[in-house]
Amino acid sequence: MKRIKKNFVKLIEINKSKFYGILFPVDNVEEVKEYLNQVRKDYPKATHYCYAYRVNGLEKSNDDGEPSGTAGRPMLEYLRNNDLENILCVSVRYFGGIKLGASGLLRAYVDSLREVYAISEVYEVREQNIYSIKMNYSLYDIVRNYISKLDGFTIETKFEEEVEIIYSALTLDEFKLVNLTNNQIKIVLIGNQLVYSKIEK
């Protein structure tokens, strides 16, 4: 899945109508409501505030008075097609006096989202497991060399009576690591975390 970490805004103009495409990172529906209220304050007297969001498995779109299916739903489809999660997109329209028609509206709202998405910073998000790996000092180099070749990273290393490596990875072949050290280490799954990797668009 993909996410953003901060807000982005982009203005486009189509046949004298102004469309402000806005993206917000959100963690829950309450944040969605707060941002929507804020948008109405930040862009007073706009003609329409159309939106779509995907957050924690929930999805919703709203045309806000535009013809049904011309604004919110195509924006929601755009979010789905780009695998964007925990995100709210709002397109604020100031009517310029020229009607666009249903197909013109649909293109305009999707374009407003596409344009703001083009300037946004997007991250691939993966949930990784966090492991505690404890060993005596004689095994430290063996373990460190082994995990350095895996698709993960060390969060912290503690040098006390034993060495403890706090390690994050999608998966860890515990059986192989135990065999490599003649069953002299202890591996415990202690949690998980989200890891963000910036996507080059």
Side-chain angles (χ1 to χ4, degrees):
M1 61 181 166
K2 300 171 187 173
R3 294 187 183 180
I4 59 173
K5 290 184 176 182
K6 61 181 182 180
N7 307 350
F8 295 92
V9 182
K10 177 75 174 180
L11 168 65
I12 64 172
E13 189 169 329
I14 301 173
N15 287 346
K16 297 185 179 181
S17 280
K18 293 181 179 180
F19 294 83
Y20 289 87
I22 314 168
L23 295 178
F24 299 97
V26 290
D27 290 322
N28 52 61
V29 175
E30 286 304 312
E31 285 189 2
V32 169
K33 294 176 182 176
E34 290 171 8
Y35 279 130
L36 289 173
N37 288 334
Q38 189 61 49
V39 166
R40 291 180 183 274
K41 293 177 184 177
D42 292 343
Y43 300 88
K45 299 181 181 179
T47 318
H48 303 281
Y49 305 87
C50 304
Y51 66 87
Y53 66 80
R54 302 182 77 204
V55 56
N56 300 331
L58 299 175
E59 297 181 339
K60 187 176 179 181
S61 63
N62 190 301
D63 294 316
D64 193 37
E66 293 284 32
S68 179
T70 61
R73 191 170 65 195
M75 290 195 296
L76 180 57
E77 282 300 316
Y78 190 91
L79 297 182
R80 288 173 180 161
N81 291 339
N82 285 278
D83 196 27
L84 290 159
E85 296 277 356
N86 285 43
I87 190 168
L88 163 67
C89 68
V90 184
S91 187
V92 179
R93 182 189 184 190
Y94 286 86
F95 181 56
I98 300 174
K99 293 185 177 181
L100 302 180
S103 61
L105 281 173
L106 192 151
R107 283 194 301 271
Y109 280 106
V110 171
D111 283 348
S112 73
L113 175 51
R114 184 183 291 114
E115 290 291 327
V116 70
Y117 178 71
I119 66 165
S120 65
E121 295 173 356
V122 181
Y123 296 82
E124 185 74 39
V125 183
R126 299 184 301 173
E127 186 172 71
Q128 294 195 166
N129 293 321
I130 302 174
Y131 300 91
S132 165
I133 309 171
K134 291 184 179 180
M135 72 217 77
N136 62 45
Y137 280 76
S138 65
L139 297 171
Y140 174 61
D141 285 339
I142 295 172
V143 173
R144 184 183 60 180
N145 289 338
Y146 175 75
I147 64 175
S148 69
K149 299 171 185 175
L150 304 178
D151 184 22
F153 59 90
T154 298
I155 298 173
E156 182 182 8
T157 304
K158 302 176 183 178
F159 298 95
E160 297 175 348
E161 288 186 13
E162 293 182 301
V163 181
E164 180 182 15
I165 297 174
I166 307 299
Y167 186 73
S168 175
L170 284 173
T171 58
L172 182 64
D173 190 339
E174 298 177 38
F175 182 74
K176 186 171 183 178
L177 190 51
V178 166
N179 281 347
L180 188 66
T181 56
N182 294 318
N183 202 25
Q184 295 183 58
I185 64 170
K186 183 179 180 182
I187 304 172
V188 178
L189 178 63
I190 59 175
N192 54 60
Q193 67 177 1
L194 296 178
V195 177
Y196 290 77
S197 304
K198 190 173 180 179
I199 296 172
E200 296 299 329
K201 294 185 290 181

